[in-house]
Amino acid sequence: MTTFELTKEYIEKLEEAIEQKDEKLLKAEMEDLYPADIAGILLELDATQGHYLLNVVDIAVGAEILSHIEPDARKTFIKEQFTVEEIARYVNLFDSDDAADLLNEQSIEVREKVIALLDDREQARFIIDLMYYPKDIAGGLMQKELVKVNTNWTVSECVEEIRRQAEDVEKVYAIYVVDDDQKLHGIVSLKQIVLARKNTRIENILDGDIVFVETTDPAEEVADRMQKYDLEAIPVVNTLGRLLGRITIDDVLDFVTDKAEEDIQVMAGITGEAEEDDTVWHLAKARLPWLVVGVAGSLLAATVIKSFEAEFQKVAALAAFIPIMGSTGGNVGIQTSSLIVQSLAEKTGITTSLWQRLLKIILVALVNGLVIGALAGAYIYLIGEPDLFLVVCFSLLSVVVLASFMGTVTPLLLDRIGVNPAIASGPFITTANDIIGIGTYLIIADLLLHL
């Protein structure tokens, strides 16, 4: 397969072929593409055209294509175009975790009808089990398909079981070893199976030092553990230690990507999920709340400035330095909060106390504040406003220290009360530090100039 580039001309070519029902051309075009590329094409076609194109390709390829479509788009696509029987045909070919995700996007009535139509009743049971778990815990990322053997078996028996089970498992990363009660005892690699004598008992070659997660562990913890130990798959057990499934690296990558996109949108002041092709009202609704907060903050800042109106009449040059106070406070606050949010996301066993963090942040802020203040002071002399030298220097130093304090404490407090700390890195910190910066500047000016 070659690298694919989606162009307007290519979409028009496919639309024409679909209109003429030229299945031969469509099949030839799709044969050279990855399912992920075809999923991108479907999003550019209208629902009816996309449904026709999906029916042209092999059903197994069609199942892979559906698994690559974003949940919201897939939900709408399936609701508009698919019968229950069609959904069941595709779900029969899905891994259990992907099937559970797809069915959770549908209405309860559709879910029940599809599950009733599934050919593989064991697969149906797997899907029902997985639909119980929220998507932000290990159980929600888990798939039931894996290869497991009994600790009392021989290598010969193990090989036969691997052959039987592997037909339903797309990727075999390791063989999980359980006892008669299905409790996880360890793993055995394919290399060990190949090299061992056929009469060797599995319990004698298994690796009991295994990293695992429980079904209720947060998804973030699963991702951290797989990254830390460089795992391609991790077994999932219940509270009794019984093996229930596994989580593969592709599912963790999807979760991490979605989480990163969510945090970026929150930091930018966008609530909820928003995509470029969403409706105008949906996009406006996602952006409006923090814009209102920003406007409210600006109005408060304007109120602070207005309360010093008499001072501006005495020293008009004061107004010229208001923007630098607001922007410096906002920038320092975002820098500091971003580092704190990152440290919270990368939790380790070593914890730093709040006082230690604050001390380090304040020391860094003092260094930065002194340098920025000196540069601003030099500029003051160059433009002929020596009376404002100390005002601007002390103000910038104070603004940097206060903004650093806010940028440290705010995400830590939000994390403590269970709110996404990424919120602190967006308009919240910027708006708060605008008010603090301007207020601090004008108070210092009033004290030093005796206005």
Side-chain angles (χ1 to χ4, degrees):
M1 294 187 183
T2 57
T3 303
F4 174 69
E5 182 179 354
L6 186 60
T7 63
K8 183 179 179 182
E9 291 73 21
Y10 188 77
I11 292 297
E12 290 174 351
K13 176 183 176 181
L14 293 182
E15 287 176 336
E16 183 178 350
I18 292 171
E19 185 177 349
Q20 296 175 357
K21 301 191 182 306
D22 190 344
E23 294 190 10
K24 184 177 180 181
L25 172 62
L26 292 171
K27 284 182 179 179
E29 291 290 340
M30 296 303 107
E31 280 178 1
D32 295 329
L33 300 180
Y34 290 103
D37 293 328
I38 302 175
I41 291 172
L42 291 187
L43 296 177
E44 298 299 324
L45 301 171
D46 66 39
T48 304
Q49 293 171 332
H51 186 242
Y52 182 85
L53 181 61
L54 196 66
N55 285 330
V56 167
V57 302
D58 182 77
I59 189 168
V61 176
E64 286 192 65
I65 294 169
L66 282 176
S67 70
H68 283 289
I69 300 177
E70 288 296 317
D72 288 341
R74 182 172 64 190
K75 177 181 178 180
T76 303
F77 180 44
I78 289 178
K79 182 179 180 180
E80 292 179 357
Q81 298 294 324
F82 285 63
T83 63
V84 173
E85 290 76 15
E86 281 182 290
I87 300 173
R89 284 200 296 271
Y90 285 111
V91 169
N92 270 318
L93 300 171
F94 272 39
D95 287 337
S96 56
D97 56 334
D98 292 330
D101 290 341
L102 185 145
L103 289 181
N104 272 329
E105 297 162 10
Q106 314 307 316
S107 66
I108 295 176
E109 181 183 2
V110 170
R111 288 181 219 166
E112 292 181 350
K113 288 182 178 179
V114 170
I115 290 172
L117 290 170
L118 294 180
D119 298 329
D120 188 340
R121 300 318 301 167
E122 183 181 39
Q123 172 80 340
R125 181 172 56 81
F126 286 167
I127 294 170
I128 292 171
D129 289 344
L130 293 179
M131 288 172 64
Y132 163 79
Y133 297 105
K135 63 180 181 180
D136 59 350
I137 64 173
L141 298 177
M142 174 178 69
Q143 64 176 224
K144 289 284 193 173
E145 292 83 5
L146 50 74
V147 178
K148 63 181 177 180
V149 297
N150 192 286
T151 184
N152 297 316
W153 291 355
T154 63
V155 167
S156 179
E157 291 173 310
C158 178
V159 170
E160 289 302 316
E161 184 66 12
I162 290 172
R163 287 173 179 163
R164 186 186 72 80
Q165 294 185 34
E167 294 179 1
D168 299 322
V169 183
E170 184 178 352
K171 296 178 181 177
V172 179
Y173 296 105
I175 313 301
Y176 300 104
V177 183
V178 299
D179 60 17
D180 293 335
D181 293 325
Q182 298 302 306
K183 289 186 177 180
L184 181 65
H185 279 246
I187 60 172
V188 58
S189 68
L190 292 174
K191 180 180 178 179
Q192 289 172 306
I193 294 291
V194 171
L195 296 178
R197 295 181 179 276
K198 63 180 182 180
N199 292 326
T200 303
R201 291 168 65 89
I202 293 298
E203 65 179 355
N204 295 327
I205 61 173
L206 68 82
D207 180 5
D209 185 17
I210 183 173
V211 179
F212 61 88
V213 293
E214 293 190 2
T215 52
T216 54
D217 288 342
E220 291 91 342
E221 186 175 320
V222 175
D224 290 341
R225 203 168 296 182
M226 292 187 73
Q227 180 186 32
K228 180 178 180 180
Y229 296 104
D230 196 22
L231 302 175
E232 294 178 312
I234 190 168
V236 183
V237 301
N238 63 12
T239 53
L240 299 176
R242 291 174 178 166
L243 180 65
L244 296 184
R246 64 172 183 166
I247 299 172
T248 55
I249 189 64
D250 56 320
D251 293 317
V252 169
L253 183 60
D254 288 341
F255 171 80
V256 170
T257 302
D258 291 342
K259 184 67 175 175
E261 290 176 352
E262 178 187 329
D263 285 346
I264 288 171
Q265 290 192 349
V266 170
M267 291 169 68
I270 300 175
T271 57
E273 295 184 0
E275 302 289 343
E276 186 180 355
D277 56 355
D278 286 339
T279 64
V280 172
W281 170 242
H282 185 83
L283 289 172
K285 188 172 62 173
R287 299 177 187 182
L288 193 57
W290 280 112
L291 291 177
V292 171
V293 171
V295 170
S298 298
L299 291 174
L300 286 174
T303 304
V304 171
I305 293 171
K306 184 172 176 58
S307 65
F308 286 87
E309 192 172 356
E311 284 76 6
F312 287 123
Q313 291 176 356
K314 295 176 184 178
V315 185
L318 279 174
F321 299 98
I322 288 177
I324 191 175
M325 300 300 164
S327 62
T328 300
N331 289 336
V332 171
I334 288 177
Q335 287 178 347
T336 308
S337 63
S338 296
L339 290 174
I340 297 298
V341 170
Q342 184 179 0
S343 71
L344 290 172
E346 299 173 355
K347 290 184 173 68
T348 65
I350 302 173
T351 57
T352 305
S353 71
L354 176 60
W355 294 113
Q356 288 175 311
R357 284 183 173 182
L358 281 178
L359 178 60
K360 189 171 185 179
I361 291 294
I362 296 303
L363 289 175
V364 172
L366 285 171
V367 173
N368 290 335
L370 288 171
V371 173
I372 293 173
L375 291 173
Y379 178 76
I380 294 294
Y381 271 109
L382 288 175
I383 65 172
E385 293 288 349
D387 293 341
L388 296 180
F389 173 75
L390 289 178
V391 173
V392 173
C393 287
F394 278 118
S395 295
L396 281 174
L397 177 60
S398 301
V399 165
V400 171
V401 171
L402 288 172
S404 297
F405 177 82
M406 281 285 294
T408 302
V409 172
T410 305
L412 290 175
L413 288 177
L414 290 173
D415 183 64
R416 182 65 62 87
I417 63 176
V419 177
N420 187 351
I423 293 173
S425 297
F428 182 85
I429 285 288
T430 305
T431 302
N433 283 320
D434 277 348
I435 300 171
I436 292 171
I438 294 170
T440 300
Y441 169 55
L442 295 177
I443 290 171
I444 290 175
D446 189 47
L447 292 174
L448 293 181
L449 298 177
H450 306 291
L451 296 173

